[in-house]
Amino acid sequence: MIESAQKFVRLRDSEEKAEYDRATLEEVPVSVWRNVIFRYPDYRKWVAHNKTVPFEILEKLCNHEVDSEFLRTGYFFPSEFWSFSREGRKYDTQVFFGKLSS
């Protein structure tokens, strides 16, 4: 488990595959995710890459100051996150975002 925002950033910036994979695969407490989002805005996109990130953090990323390219340009709408959650269930899923043709 990654216990601090600083450790998450260090792992994500590592040149060793085993270390940056940890930033994608290991669980992180919600309080640490909030800290990453607040203190390291450039790492918000890496928060979304983590396979264990809870829905409430994904929602926060959408509602937070919109600075992610896929949100700003209309590639993805925050309301679509609702389609990935169901009451009482936790999915082991990786979500990919893409632009739908107009």
Side-chain angles (χ1 to χ4, degrees):
M1 180 174 282
I2 299 170
E3 298 287 342
S4 72
Q6 296 85 351
K7 184 171 184 177
F8 175 79
V9 169
R10 184 183 62 75
L11 291 170
R12 186 59 236 165
D13 285 345
S14 175
E15 292 184 18
E16 293 184 35
K17 184 177 180 344
E19 287 196 352
Y20 65 75
D21 280 350
R22 287 181 61 198
T24 302
L25 301 171
E26 284 192 24
E27 290 191 29
V28 179
V30 170
S31 60
V32 172
W33 283 137
R34 288 186 182 130
N35 200 5
V36 172
I37 291 167
F38 178 74
R39 293 184 59 204
Y40 302 98
D42 292 342
Y43 287 82
R44 290 177 188 155
K45 65 182 175 186
W46 300 117
V47 170
H49 280 258
N50 182 283
K51 293 183 180 187
T52 68
V53 68
F55 175 75
E56 79 178 88
I57 296 300
L58 291 175
E59 187 175 41
K60 185 166 184 63
L61 287 170
C62 285
N63 293 329
H64 202 273
E65 179 182 317
V66 179
D67 61 355
S68 298
E69 186 68 20
F70 69 89
L71 292 174
R72 198 171 49 246
T73 59
Y75 287 103
F76 185 79
F77 297 96
S79 61
E80 292 181 47
F81 272 127
W82 291 106
S83 67
F84 296 110
S85 71
R86 291 195 180 156
E87 192 67 35
R89 293 186 178 176
K90 180 178 179 182
Y91 291 96
D92 184 16
T93 303
Q94 187 170 5
V95 178
F96 296 91
F97 304 98
K99 183 175 182 175
L100 301 174
S101 57
S102 344

